[in-house]
Amino acid sequence: MQLVIVESPAKAKTIEKYLGKDYRVLASYGHVRDLPPRDGSVNPDEGFAMEWETYADKAKQLKAISDLARTADRLILATDPDREGEAISWHVLEVLKKKKLLPKEVERVTFNAITKATVTEAMRHPRQIDTDLVEAYLARRALDYLVGFTLSPILWRKLPGAKSAGRVQSVALRLIVQREREIEVFVAQEYWSVIAEMEQDGTPFQARMVKYKGEKLDRLSIGDGKTAEAAKQAVVDGRFTIVSVETKPAMRNPPPPFTTSTLQQEAARKLGFAASHTMRIAQGLYEDGAITYMRTDGVTMDGEAIQEARRAVVNRYDGHYVPEKPRVYTTKAKNAQEAHEAIRPTDFGKDKVGAGDHARLYDLIWKRALASQMASARMERTTIELEEATGQHGLRATGQVVLFPGYLALYEEGRDDEGDEESRRLPKLSQGDTPAKKDVLAEQHFTQPPPRFSEASLVKRLEELGIGRPSTYASIIQTLKDRSYVRIEKNRFFAEESGRLVTAFLERFFEKYVGYDFTAGLEDQLDEVSGGRAQWQAVLDSFWKDFKPLTTEVMEQKPSEVTAALDLFLEPYLFPAKADGGDPRLCPVCGTGHLALRGGKFGAFVACSNYPDCKFTRRFGQPGGEEGESAGPEVLGNDPESGLPVERKSGRFGPYIQLGEGKEAARASIPKDVEMDLEMALKLLKLPRTIGDHPESGKPITASIGRYGPYLAHDGKYARLQGTMEVFETGMNAAVVKLAEAAAGGGRPARGTQAPLKVLGIHPRTEAEIKLMAGRYGEYVTDGTTNATLPKSIDKDALTLEEAAQLIDARAAAGPAKGKGKKKAAPKKAAAKKKAPAKKVAKV
């Protein structure tokens, strides 16, 4: 018997079917062990020796592998064809070696697609474990552990509220924070454009003013409305004639097929997918045998795949749409051992696979790979120059005509910026023509700050800088979200206060280690290890000998010293210069105190030096300068009962309202979902609100707002409310129902009364309503009769009606789940047999 180890059970089932009866294929379910999350798992003093620990949830699977390995003649390690796949194979090998269960033959096999032809061909060419790739994995894992487990405790002790730091994670965060700083210091510049709306033979076009009073104009030349109006009048008064028509041929070549990085970028631009979602869907397509391996930095395609793609182009279009010779792309990967074939379909004859997001991503991969073997697009770019009689004023019109679409007939690469004037079409124009002038516009504009990063542009920037590797980008971005260092709004990254503070701390005390060049250089060294050109312990030792003393030095500093250093480092951001030249640190409330950064239990904030006499505070992330002036209290009105003022204030935990002063003052945080006025402020200050006594228990039911949002409370039990207004509007009947539903469902509505997360629509075949529901073990879809669990590879927010319908159809076709239905009769008890003497078994 030959034992084959792969990562996923889906792959195991498919591959066992391909290989036949002599093979048993088991899944490791990913990595089987890792460094335990505690001090001492990597020991720099003993050559960076590592202590590994088996994942608790992998014990059962490792036992199954061990049991079969005991009787196997040959062990074939067939995990994924990258560094992580090599590492998983090595871990399985080491576990079996330690148990002394290794078969006589142990070999490594890799394939980049799960098709019968590819798998059987790979089995004919086994090799041994690639020790260079394993050592590159060990170096990266040890490095990430040493940075994380050395830096994070420093953050926890010196920077309250900080959660963690990472070798690549922190550098990616720095990119986002630096872009935020660029936006904040950006000063918009006014400029104007003068546009003539013209027409020739009934076809309209636009011409932009490029010369005024004999001087050439660039984008920012006209900087005020008065000049713009004068320039506009010059165009209105002039009679413009075409003085030149310049036509240039242009070619656009297709982009290469996808790598991991470009797939993440394009899926973000065109499909709105997060990098992590893209990789989950791509993993599913790979395991289904639809595409080649999705973690790659290579842009080449197999020779047979290229010929298949060319035939598919001819069948779809005609022979003019394929170039004379196949296109060959060269990889920019720094390490050839980790550069595999590009991501492509395993069968170019299939233009559709799956449903929902799987179908959308496959369509993108199929079109990109096919387009990469298509002819170039041929275009004609035209520039028209117009002048009035004196030659003092000039206009220009530009446009582009596609003569032959080539690959553009199938696919056009997405862009992060907007299109330009060259994409406009122009009428047929000749020198000496005098087009009709229909209107002249003077339009005001302002220069825009650099855009915040999207997932696509962040991945692109990381790759340009050589920071991290494409296969790690999805997990890096996800970590930043999970740590709440960033938030995403309209598909753009915004740096949170905690992210800005952590970045500032690292820039101030560990500047070298969050430097882009240093991080990229370290990646190059790790690539040298995987290429067999560097020794992994030497790379680690070179890093550790400088990093460790610095961490010790920072750890010895008092938290107050760290805060004082950050106060000075962040001065341009926290206390920017005032327009009137005044002191930006002067307290806006007492007028005598000095503002400075302070550290608290829940993070950093700005406070007045006259505390406790002056209680002015400002959140760390709240801007200073002119905007900071408004951080003082705002009087909303007076409380009709006490006559005391009700003030809106801003503290280190955000905006709040206050009634009274000192220890007796009543305070309440301001929810984000309400408009604040005196009436609402008084309602918030009076919380909790008593709705009445429960009709069964006689005990009071109250409504209030807590750490996790609005809620109902009764006799030690709670129920969530949907919004702040429900706190004030929920009556007795509704409160009793909500509490009963929460009690029946452990915080969830009772069975049968639960509201759906989303109503997807009518089933296209059965006409039943399909709903997305939250269940005890995760989300599921239902049509009222059949429930189908939502696979982890499908994002509930991106779930489509057709995708849900297919899940329900598949579940219904599968019949009742195992263990359900009629119970089997209990077997009759056999007569008790005498126990045989126990045999002694040698320990393994």
Side-chain angles (χ1 to χ4, degrees), residues 294-537:
M294 67 289 164
R295 292 188 182 91
T296 174
D297 47 17
V299 291
T300 58
M301 286 203 307
D302 177 75
E304 288 185 15
I306 290 175
Q307 293 304 322
E308 186 186 343
R310 286 170 65 86
R311 287 193 295 272
V313 172
V314 173
N315 292 337
R316 189 179 181 89
Y317 300 100
D318 61 45
H320 295 96
Y321 282 81
V322 290
E324 289 184 13
K325 295 180 180 179
R327 293 187 182 275
V328 178
Y329 298 92
T330 55
T331 181
K332 295 179 182 179
K334 298 182 179 181
N335 190 326
Q337 284 194 2
E338 295 190 58
H340 305 291
E341 190 180 359
I343 303 169
R344 63 166 176 84
T346 55
D347 182 356
F348 279 97
K350 292 182 179 178
D351 60 354
K352 292 181 181 178
V353 166
D357 287 353
H358 288 75
R360 295 170 70 198
L361 190 66
Y362 178 82
D363 180 68
L364 198 65
I365 293 167
W366 181 83
K367 284 180 176 176
R368 173 86 167 219
L370 198 64
S372 74
Q373 288 303 317
M374 291 178 69
S376 302
R378 296 197 306 275
M379 288 163 288
E380 192 174 76
R381 289 177 182 161
T382 303
T383 303
I384 310 292
E385 300 285 352
L386 303 95
E387 288 186 357
E388 44 78 70
T390 66
Q392 289 294 295
H393 311 306
L395 304 173
R396 177 180 297 153
T398 58
Q400 180 175 279
V401 176
V402 177
L403 302 176
F404 173 69
Y407 78 95
L408 290 176
L410 178 66
Y411 177 85
E412 184 167 9
E413 189 172 25
R415 290 161 53 162
D416 292 314
D417 53 0
E418 297 297 321
D420 56 26
E421 294 177 357
E422 288 190 353
S423 61
R424 296 171 181 164
R425 287 180 175 254
L426 293 175
K428 185 172 179 59
L429 295 164
S430 303
Q431 188 173 342
D433 287 347
T434 307
K437 189 166 57 207
K438 296 296 185 181
D439 196 7
V440 181
L441 307 171
E443 298 178 341
Q444 184 186 37
H445 311 276
F446 291 92
T447 53
Q448 296 297 311
R452 287 183 171 87
F453 284 110
S454 63
E455 287 212 9
S457 57
L458 180 61
V459 166
K460 184 177 181 181
R461 187 61 181 145
L462 287 169
E463 189 173 36
E464 287 172 350
L465 292 170
I467 294 169
R469 285 296 173 259
S471 60
T472 65
Y473 292 154
S475 60
I476 291 168
I477 290 170
Q478 192 59 48
T479 299
L480 294 179
K481 294 178 190 175
D482 293 344
R483 297 286 184 271
S484 298
Y485 287 157
V486 300
R487 71 181 189 277
I488 291 185
E489 292 181 10
K490 297 180 180 178
N491 294 322
R492 297 283 171 172
F493 285 104
F494 287 73
E496 295 283 22
E497 291 179 21
S498 55
R500 298 186 69 137
L501 191 61
V502 167
T503 298
F505 175 84
L506 295 174
E507 287 176 324
R508 170 60 181 81
F509 294 102
F510 297 92
E511 183 180 13
K512 171 183 174 181
Y513 298 98
V514 289
Y516 304 137
D517 291 341
F518 175 81
T519 307
L522 196 54
E523 291 290 346
D524 289 340
Q525 291 182 56
L526 294 169
D527 283 345
E528 291 293 296
V529 173
S530 62
R533 297 177 294 276
Q535 207 275 332
W536 70 278
Q537 285 106 331

Side-chain angles (χ1 to χ4, degrees), residues 765-782:
R765 290 170 284 283
T766 66
E767 297 187 355
E769 187 177 61
I770 298 179
K771 300 175 183 178
L772 174 65
M773 308 293 289
R776 184 178 179 184
Y777 301 107
E779 290 81 14
Y780 66 95
V781 289
T782 181

